[in-house]
Amino acid sequence: MKNEKKQILVIRLSSLGDILLTTPVLRALKDKYPGCEITYLCREEYLNALKTNSNISSFLTLRVEQNEEEIHNKIVSSDFDLIIDLQNNFRSRNILKSVNVPVYKFRKPNIKKFLLVNLKLNLYKKYLSIPELYAKSVPGLVLDDEGVDLLIPDNIKPSLKPDDKYIGFIPGSKHYSKRWPLEYFIQLGKLLNKYGYTIVIFGGKDDKEICSAVSAQITKSKNLCNDNDLYAASADMRMCSLIVSNDSGLMHAASSSYVPMIVLFGSSVEHFGFAPYKRESVILQNETLKCRPCSHYGKEECPKKHFKCMLDLTPNLVFEKIKKALAL
């Protein structure tokens, strides 16, 4: 070892959910290599998801339009003992070209995903979460039993009052085929209003139109959609009795809140590893459809034009799951 403390570089450039799901790996690295110092390389827009994480000593950030050569030179001139590439795509490989340091790479199950999406051939013998798949990249790395970390600074306080009953909705997702219909969120909100619950709507800057449309139709609701302020959102999520969410990056932020969740899977399936990690949750999905999954990432329309993967998950079905979870 070149240094008194082992210097480790972890790379995960994007996106929000994938980055949050690396946090169990960071804890495991600290346990495996006591006293190590971890530098984390991510795209700059995701820095807030990690900057309060005490397991990280320093950061390297990459802009979307930035040439990889600058980051490559910084890595080469640094004194890293080990690099862990949890992105393992063209860009990260380009950054690491000719780096004379041991590199462990995330082995993506691309063939299994392709066969499941395109041929509906399921070679997943058992469910492995993304953190478990990440951990397999590093020989002997053992995860603990905790979930993802999103640490809120002490000065961030919830805006919600503690003397009310709240249920959170996360109606956004990057792709249409991962979004439960807005009218379903509205119908569910109205049902929950009758039980005295205020609906709290969460989203980022790309979700403002969606969140406003849902909030406008639910009498007792609070629209807390913001400009990607994860800390403010997380503080208020922790005030909720339960959160209903699409499969999205913000869903993984919500999973750090220790609040029970109901997650709606449309075009994707839990085999891909993106269920809430180590948290109390119920996954709702239409398991009768032969066309699922139609995508790993999501699509902008239903290829079959029926969208039964989401339309068949009715508000009443979700409402019954909530009643059971909260003993209403």
Side-chain angles (χ1 to χ4, degrees):
M1 192 186 306
K2 294 176 290 186
N3 303 306
E4 184 177 332
K5 293 184 177 179
K6 195 173 188 71
Q7 303 294 317
I8 300 175
L9 174 65
V10 174
I11 301 174
R12 181 72 215 194
L13 303 176
S14 62
S15 290
L16 176 60
D18 304 87
I19 284 174
L20 288 171
L21 289 168
T22 68
T23 58
V25 174
L26 302 180
R27 296 196 304 267
L29 288 170
K30 282 288 192 177
D31 185 61
K32 181 176 175 63
Y33 304 108
C36 72
E37 292 186 347
I38 296 174
T39 298
Y40 199 111
L41 169 59
C42 64
R43 284 198 347 221
E44 62 179 356
E45 61 264 40
Y46 300 111
L47 181 60
N48 281 348
L50 296 167
K51 70 180 184 181
T52 56
N53 192 308
S54 61
N55 292 316
I56 302 173
S57 300
S58 60
F59 290 93
L60 293 173
T61 56
L62 184 69
R63 299 184 303 277
V64 173
E65 72 284 356
Q66 186 178 359
N67 188 295
E68 292 92 355
E69 194 69 26
E70 180 182 343
I71 295 295
H72 170 78
N73 291 336
K74 287 182 179 180
I75 292 172
V76 170
S77 63
S78 299
D79 205 20
F80 293 117
D81 300 292
L82 175 65
I83 297 174
I84 302 168
D85 181 6
L86 298 179
Q87 187 76 46
N88 194 13
N89 64 3
F90 175 81
R91 198 169 198 194
S92 68
R93 291 192 293 270
N94 194 39
I95 288 170
L96 296 177
K97 63 183 179 183
S98 305
V99 172
N100 191 24
V101 175
V103 178
Y104 293 138
K105 295 182 178 182
F106 172 39
R107 296 182 63 182
K108 299 180 180 181
N110 289 332
I111 294 176
K112 290 180 181 179
K113 286 189 290 188
F114 177 87
L115 292 174
L116 185 53
V117 169
N118 294 282
L119 301 178
K120 304 302 181 281
L121 180 60
N122 188 356
L123 297 184
Y124 289 86
K125 294 181 180 179
K126 66 175 182 177
Y127 175 81
L128 286 177
S129 66
I130 291 298
E132 289 172 313
L133 292 173
Y134 284 157
K136 288 170 70 71
S137 308
V138 182
L141 195 67
V142 179
L143 298 175
D144 59 26
D145 290 325
E146 297 300 316
V148 302
D149 292 326
L150 179 58
L151 307 174
I152 305 173
D154 292 338
N155 65 316
I156 303 297
K157 306 299 180 185
S159 65
L160 299 176
K161 298 177 182 179
D163 54 351
D164 207 345
K165 299 194 302 181
Y166 304 106
I167 286 181
F169 283 2
I170 302 177
S173 191
K174 186 175 181 180
H175 298 286
Y176 166 83
S177 65
K178 288 188 173 184
R179 293 186 211 128
W180 203 43
L182 297 189
E183 58 267 29
Y184 280 14
F185 274 108
I186 293 166
Q187 291 176 42
L188 179 61
K190 290 178 177 179
L191 288 170
L192 291 166
N193 276 176
K194 294 178 181 178
Y195 277 73
Y197 283 95
T198 297
I199 305 305
V200 185
I201 301 163
F202 299 99
K205 65 180 181 180
D206 294 332
D207 305 318
K208 290 186 176 181
E209 185 176 341
I210 288 172
C211 292
S212 294
V214 173
S215 182
Q217 297 298 317
I218 301 174
T219 302
K220 198 175 180 183
S221 67
K222 292 181 180 291
N223 184 0
L224 296 187
C225 184
N226 62 42
D227 290 323
N228 298 339
D229 186 339
L230 288 176
Y231 303 137
S234 184
D236 282 315
M237 286 174 179
R238 297 176 191 202
M239 302 294 290
C240 296
S241 300
L242 180 142
I243 293 173
V244 180
S245 178
N246 295 321
D247 175 16
S248 67
L250 198 56
M251 177 269 285
H252 293 290
S255 76
S256 71
S257 65
Y258 293 87
V259 172
M261 301 185 70
I262 292 178
V263 181
L264 302 147
F265 275 62
S267 59
S268 60
V269 292
E270 78 278 13
H271 299 83
F272 298 141
F274 287 98
Y277 180 66
K278 300 284 187 181
R279 291 291 183 260
E280 182 182 349
S281 64
V282 174
I283 303 296
L284 288 183
Q285 56 190 329
N286 188 341
E287 299 187 59
T288 67
L289 294 175
K290 294 181 180 179
C291 55
R292 288 184 70 241
C294 66
S295 171
H296 171 52
Y297 295 106
K299 291 181 175 291
E300 294 315 306
E301 62 179 8
C302 171
K304 299 292 186 180
K305 309 301 182 186
H306 55 62
F307 203 35
K308 286 180 174 291
C309 60
M310 281 300 197
L311 290 176
D312 286 355
L313 304 178
T314 65
N316 281 330
L317 173 64
V318 180
F319 183 56
E320 291 302 316
K321 295 295 184 181
I322 293 173
K323 286 171 63 177
K324 183 176 181 181
L326 300 181
L328 300 182

